[in-house]
Amino acid sequence: MAKMCVAIAAVLAVTALLQTSAAQTVHVVGDSLGWLVPPGGPIAYETWVDLQTFVVGDVLVFNFITGEQDVARVTKEAFNSCNSTNPIFLETTGPFNYTLDAAGEYYFIGTMDRHCYLGQKLAINVSASAGPTPSPQAPTPTPPRGPVTYIVGDALGWLVPPGGSIAYKTWAYGKTFLVGDVLVFNFANGTQDVAVVTEEAYDSCNTTTTIAVYATSPVKYTLATVGEYFFTSTYSRHCNLGQKLAINVTASSSATPPSTTTTPTPSSNPSSSVTSPVAGGPSAPPPQSSAPARAVLGFSSTLLLIALAVVH
Ligand SMILES: *[C@@H]1O[C@H](CO)[C@@H](O)[C@H](O)[C@H]1NC(C)=O
Ligand SMILES: *[C@@H]1O[C@H](CO)[C@@H](O)[C@H](O)[C@H]1NC(C)=O
Ligand SMILES: *[C@@H]1O[C@H](CO)[C@@H](O)[C@H](O)[C@H]1NC(C)=O
Ligand SMILES: *[C@@H]1O[C@H](CO)[C@@H](O)[C@H](O)[C@H]1NC(C)=O
Ligand SMILES: *[C@@H]1O[C@H](CO)[C@@H](O)[C@H](O)[C@H]1NC(C)=O
Ligand SMILES: *[C@@H]1O[C@H](CO)[C@@H](O)[C@H](O)[C@H]1NC(C)=O
């Protein structure tokens, strides 16, 4: 009983603290991504917004390089049509801090070139006071839920992402992965594969040794245990160019574990998958493998447009 009282007092104290400090929360738009044309389109800032609670007095920090980006506050109509003709204001010097001084909806876009059309746009709702909305910092117990199937990269699929590894970081950001959840990797057969690797291999992009390799799309990978998972590709340079995904599996999804916890059978025979051929070696990746890598290097903007077209 005494313990419970102490616990309740602690919770109240923390809540009071959070509400007091909520008077001036600083929101760095896009976090480490900053303010730019996001790889994968507007989903990046939509995802970011979902994780925030905006209250009058909070500050938005738009991190961008002067001359490469700008930020304009615009009307809802201008936001929807990416019309930068008559903005409420335009700021061309980054980084830019903006205080949200009234409740309501705020719309921001980048006015340079096709930046807004490509997803450099942000819509937020600002409420008058902190209210009872739970702070993201507050330790909320994971609500019980059944196993979730995640499509890695959503419509982008599993490939060398235009813009680099930020694409899969953005995708994984804010998602909760629980034991029993399934990752689905969609890719074109013969142009990609999925390699499960150690953290060291992931960090160094050395796929000489892998835990498993799957070459037939779609790969359905069941997250069977709590812990960190690292995925990349054995194709030459794909990892270095950003085809890599790291996730944390935190707990069991629900009381009812999935009846089938089978992970897919590796495409090649199991013994060869444990020690797959050297990624850069002449025999390991099919001849097509270097083509996508070169295309990304040479025509990244074209691919970005294609990727965005696919996303929408
Ligand atoms: C953009 O907005 C301005 C007014 O702010 C309007 O005059 C113009 O017609 C709009 N352009 C388009 C293409 O809708
Ligand atoms: C913008 O806000 C950040 C975070 O509070 C602060 O570090 C920075 O000095 C501010 N910049 C300006 C120009 O006020
Ligand atoms: C703001 O909240 C209102 C009411 O919940 C909703 O209708 C509106 O779409 C929201 N606007 C934005 C920009 O999220
Ligand atoms: C890659 O890792 C293997 C062991 O898995 C190691 O033998 C090899 O030296 C590493 N290659 C490089 C370039 O670090
Ligand atoms: C990949 O190959 C498998 C087996 O040949 C086939 O069932 C699957 O539909 C193919 N996937 C794609 C995306 O082409
Ligand atoms: C997993 O969570 C731990 C603890 O919060 C953290 O140190 C680690 O970087 C996370 N790993 C990944 C892949 O996100």
Side-chain angles (χ1 to χ4, degrees):
M1 187 60 192
K3 263 184 195 164
M4 185 178 271
C5 287
V6 169
I8 289 169
V11 166
L12 289 177
V14 168
T15 309
L17 208 87
L18 286 171
Q19 278 175 352
T20 328
S21 62
Q24 253 263 345
T25 306
V26 174
H27 306 267
V28 178
V29 176
D31 296 319
S32 60
L33 185 65
W35 178 242
L36 40 63
V37 176
I43 186 91
Y45 295 119
E46 286 163 15
T47 307
W48 178 80
V49 164
D50 285 346
L51 299 167
Q52 317 287 318
T53 305
F54 302 100
V55 175
V56 170
D58 286 1
V59 176
L60 292 182
V61 178
F62 290 89
N63 271 329
F64 63 91
I65 298 167
T66 304
E68 292 188 8
Q69 320 288 337
D70 63 12
V71 58
R73 185 176 167 198
V74 296
T75 61
K76 183 178 186 174
E77 291 68 35
F79 175 87
N80 288 334
S81 60
C82 283
N83 182 342
S84 57
T85 308
N86 200 7
I88 297 166
F89 69 73
L90 173 67
E91 179 59 57
T92 56
T93 307
F96 169 57
N97 290 8
Y98 185 69
T99 302
L100 303 166
D101 51 15
E105 296 180 348
Y106 288 71
Y107 299 91
F108 302 92
I109 62 171
T111 73
M112 296 172 105
D113 303 322
R114 293 180 44 78
H115 287 197
C116 175
Y117 296 96
L118 293 171
Q120 189 176 25
K121 57 197 303 192
L122 174 72
I124 66 169
N125 254 333
V126 177
S127 57
S129 65
T133 32
S135 156
Q137 285 88 1
T140 45
T142 315
R145 64 157 170 82
V148 172
T149 297
Y150 290 104
I151 310 293
V152 175
D154 297 315
L156 187 65
W158 180 241
L159 39 63
V160 174
S165 62
I166 190 79
Y168 294 115
K169 281 188 188 141
T170 306
W171 178 81
Y173 185 75
K175 287 191 170 63
T176 304
F177 300 98
L178 304 181
V179 171
D181 289 351
V182 178
L183 298 182
V184 177
F185 295 82
N186 286 319
F187 55 89
N189 286 333
T191 66
Q192 319 287 337
D193 64 11
V194 179
V196 187
V197 297
T198 61
E199 182 170 9
E200 292 69 34
Y202 175 90
D203 287 339
S204 64
C205 281
N206 177 353
T207 52
T208 306
T209 304
T210 56
I211 297 164
V213 177
Y214 307 103
T216 307
S217 174
V219 170
K220 297 195 174 109
Y221 190 87
T222 303
L223 301 167
T225 57
V226 169
E228 294 178 309
Y229 286 74
F230 300 93
F231 301 92
T232 184
S233 167
T234 67
Y235 280 76
S236 178
R237 291 193 47 74
H238 281 205
C239 177
N240 302 83
L241 292 169
Q243 190 176 19
K244 56 199 298 193
L245 170 69
I247 65 164
N248 254 334
V249 176
T250 46
S252 296
S253 58
S254 71
T256 47
S259 49
T260 52
T261 48
T262 49
T263 45
T265 328
S267 57
S268 45
N269 67 65
S271 59
S272 77
S273 76
V274 172
T275 309
S276 78
V278 178
S283 63
Q288 306 97 296
S289 70
S290 59
R294 270 202 308 273
V296 164
L297 286 173
F299 306 105
S300 59
S301 53
T302 313
L303 272 192
L304 178 57
L305 288 171
I306 293 167
L308 287 167
V310 170
V311 166
H312 293 285

